[in-house]
Amino acid sequence: MKEGPDISQIGALIGDPARANMLTALMGGQALTASELAGAAGITLPTASSHLSKLEAGGLVTQRKQGRHRYFTLADNEVGLLLENIMGFAAGRGHLRTRPGPKDPALRKARVCYNHLAGDFGVRMLDRLITDGDVTLDGEEAALTPSGEARIAALGIDITALKAQRRPVCRTCLDWSERRSHLAGSLGEALLARFIADGWARREKDSRAVRFTAEGERRFTAAFG
Amino acid sequence: MKEGPDISQIGALIGDPARANMLTALMGGQALTASELAGAAGITLPTASSHLSKLEAGGLVTQRKQGRHRYFTLADNEVGLLLENIMGFAAGRGHLRTRPGPKDPALRKARVCYNHLAGDFGVRMLDRLITDGDVTLDGEEAALTPSGEARIAALGIDITALKAQRRPVCRTCLDWSERRSHLAGSLGEALLARFIADGWARREKDSRAVRFTAEGERRFTAAFG
DNA sequence: CGAATGCTTCGGTTACCATCGAAGTATGAA
DNA sequence: TTCATACTTCGATGGTAACCGAAGCATTCG
């Protein structure tokens, strides 16, 4: 008995309804903030924070600080597989869990993340820059290559002005709706500003959604599709 | 939240150390009594009984009444797979669980179960009778076919006398060391008595072990191996 | 028929932990 | 710098569940 704190620890972590709800919310693969997870679990922030620290100590989730947010994700693929396994088992004996309502598709497509572009468009843009060799990644850090600088300059963005600032030009930011990174930093901000200034897109009121015009979407796809 | 009592219920069942220990003990595939499980978990009988009823209600274990014992087993294969999965996951992050000590091999080989033969020999005997078409199974019930009656009679057992009694002639009994059934009922009792009377085997003192002689083992194997 | 064994149920105690409000810390915005 | 947001930590509370002893069934044995 003494030697086996094993399977019961994992069980206990999953066994609390609030924690189970948070883990289920994270099963989507999205990184969620503590507040969002608190909402998903129907508990207050302090309670959620306590739960999250336990889940982290148990190795089920990891957090990534991003500004004043803390994005939580499942620790790795294995956790997802384990949860999926348990969910399948539970579905066989217990009740089926009704899926939470679908999110606003517009938010998933394109939205602001602080000041830069996020969502499917944001992720696609960074993907393209990387595969074209215009941006190199080093962990969470990113850097613009000479060819990348030329490409950005062609869009009408003053790179030297950005580099003169103390802020990092290139950064990656974990995307909320996709599971992958998009471009942040002063360059990310400048790009979004450019899109809006050029009439490719506009921000929606009281929402983080960014709505591209038909023409804007065409141009964006031509540039980064 | 309201709709999801799902994965957390399973987790809570596994999450209690006492229950986790009992489930781990059952992972060996052996059917264990409530007392044995209480011992394995280091708790008293009442507590174990309470846990077991919860595990049963949750669909993780099933019990099978056998005289004044209650043998508990994992409900089905899926439960074993799930536990194995969680144990593997837990082993990756937490401590490894040391295996409990090996049981007395003599007990596993052959022993009395109330009054009939259990252990590897008991299971093998019933297996042989079934594959030879001498015994048919119907759930937990068993019946002797005509060819089976002849085979038993050839061993010097008076079948008609057994059938005259009110006791069931053929029954199956879940084996403690193997995971499978062996033969019980008045026939099981008569067979063991026969083996001992014929000098094939003798009971050990202060133990449930049944020790076959070399010659006895040879004959037993010839008859049922 | 007792007597003994195996297990369950009941009642009461204890200990833990989920929960929240309030205060504290860190980061970003104005 | 000052304010606002996002989150953590602290302290107190309450509910729940694990736990055991004692008593109650059920089954078997003598």
Side-chain angles (χ1 to χ4, degrees):
Chain A
M1 340 294 142
K2 302 283 168 49
E3 351 91 21
D6 239 6
I7 140 179
S8 73
Q9 287 188 355
I10 307 290
L13 284 176
I14 302 174
D16 181 81
R19 282 193 290 262
N21 281 330
M22 294 199 253
L23 290 171
T24 307
L26 289 172
M27 279 284 289
Q30 310 162 355
L32 299 177
T33 67
S35 308
E36 289 169 325
L37 287 169
I43 53 184
T44 60
L45 241 183
T47 308
S49 183
S50 160
H51 283 312
L52 285 169
S53 65
K54 283 171 189 171
L55 288 174
E56 191 178 14
L60 295 188
V61 306
T62 45
Q63 60 167 302
R64 181 173 165 183
K65 278 184 70 172
Q66 193 109 250
R68 51 184 166 187
H69 295 271
R70 302 220 169 167
Y71 280 96
F72 289 86
T73 55
L74 299 184
D76 52 43
N77 245 344
E78 243 186 299
V79 179
L81 293 176
L82 176 72
L83 292 177
E84 221 169 273
N85 197 330
I86 300 178
M87 288 180 72
F89 179 90
R93 346 233 133 183
H95 329 217
L96 276 173
R97 184 189 190 84
T98 67
R99 300 301 288 158
K103 307 273 180 176
D104 185 354
L107 278 183
R108 297 189 160 278
K109 188 175 178 189
R111 66 179 179 280
V112 287
C113 178
Y114 306 121
N115 47 28
H116 54 268
L117 187 64
D120 178 46
F121 273 42
V123 170
R124 274 167 51 199
M125 181 169 70
L126 179 57
D127 275 354
R128 166 59 72 191
L129 289 174
I130 290 173
T131 56
D132 286 352
D134 295 331
V135 169
T136 56
L137 284 189
D138 177 19
E140 301 188 10
E141 300 301 315
L144 207 53
T145 64
S147 72
E149 292 195 8
R151 183 175 192 167
I152 297 302
L155 290 170
I157 292 176
D158 185 355
I159 284 287
T160 52
L162 294 181
K163 290 209 277 193
Q165 298 177 344
R166 276 219 321 264
R167 288 179 58 191
V169 176
C170 268
R171 283 191 56 192
T172 63
C173 177
L174 200 53
D175 199 280
W176 167 89
S177 57
E178 313 295 316
R179 200 225 178 104
R180 311 167 49 204
S181 291
H182 55 241
L183 190 64
S186 62
L187 176 58
E189 181 178 2
L191 279 166
L192 177 57
R194 187 84 253 156
F195 299 154
I196 292 179
D198 289 348
W200 292 14
R202 56 185 161 73
R203 295 199 47 178
E204 291 213 336
K205 216 169 205 156
D206 294 330
S207 164
R208 294 196 290 162
V210 171
R211 189 166 297 276
F212 274 72
T213 65
E215 171 69 8
E217 185 161 343
R218 208 184 53 73
R219 295 206 182 196
F220 180 89
T221 303
F224 303 106
Chain B
M1 339 297 142
K2 301 286 171 43
E3 352 92 23
D6 239 9
I7 141 178
S8 74
Q9 287 188 354
I10 307 289
L13 284 176
I14 300 173
D16 180 81
R19 283 194 291 263
N21 281 330
M22 294 199 254
L23 289 171
T24 306
L26 289 173
M27 279 285 289
Q30 310 163 354
L32 299 177
T33 65
S35 308
E36 290 168 324
L37 287 170
I43 53 183
T44 60
L45 242 181
T47 308
S49 183
S50 160
H51 283 311
L52 286 168
S53 65
K54 283 171 190 170
L55 287 174
E56 192 178 14
L60 294 189
V61 308
T62 44
Q63 62 167 302
R64 181 171 164 183
K65 279 183 67 170
Q66 194 108 252
R68 52 184 165 183
H69 296 271
R70 303 222 168 167
Y71 281 96
F72 289 86
T73 56
L74 299 183
D76 53 42
N77 247 342
E78 242 187 300
V79 179
L81 292 176
L82 176 72
L83 292 177
E84 221 168 273
N85 197 330
I86 300 178
M87 287 180 71
F89 180 89
R93 346 232 135 187
H95 328 216
L96 278 173
R97 183 187 192 85
T98 69
R99 301 300 288 158
K103 306 275 183 177
D104 185 356
L107 278 182
R108 296 188 161 278
K109 187 175 177 187
R111 66 178 179 281
V112 288
C113 179
Y114 305 119
N115 47 26
H116 54 267
L117 188 64
D120 178 45
F121 272 42
V123 170
R124 276 167 49 198
M125 180 170 70
L126 180 56
D127 275 354
R128 166 59 71 192
L129 289 173
I130 291 173
T131 57
D132 287 352
D134 296 330
V135 168
T136 56
L137 285 188
D138 178 18
E140 300 187 12
E141 300 301 316
L144 208 53
T145 64
S147 72
E149 292 195 7
R151 183 174 191 167
I152 296 303
L155 290 170
I157 291 176
D158 185 356
I159 283 286
T160 51
L162 293 182
K163 292 210 278 196
Q165 299 176 341
R166 275 221 319 265
R167 288 180 58 190
V169 176
C170 269
R171 282 190 58 191
T172 63
C173 178
L174 200 51
D175 198 279
W176 166 91
S177 56
E178 313 294 316
R179 197 224 180 107
R180 312 167 48 205
S181 291
H182 55 241
L183 191 63
S186 63
L187 176 58
E189 183 177 1
L191 278 167
L192 176 59
R194 188 83 252 156
F195 298 153
I196 292 178
D198 289 349
W200 293 13
R202 56 185 160 75
R203 294 199 48 177
E204 292 213 337
K205 214 168 206 158
D206 292 331
S207 163
R208 295 196 289 165
V210 171
R211 189 166 296 276
F212 273 72
T213 65
E215 171 70 9
E217 185 160 342
R218 210 184 53 74
R219 296 207 181 195
F220 180 89
T221 304
F224 301 107

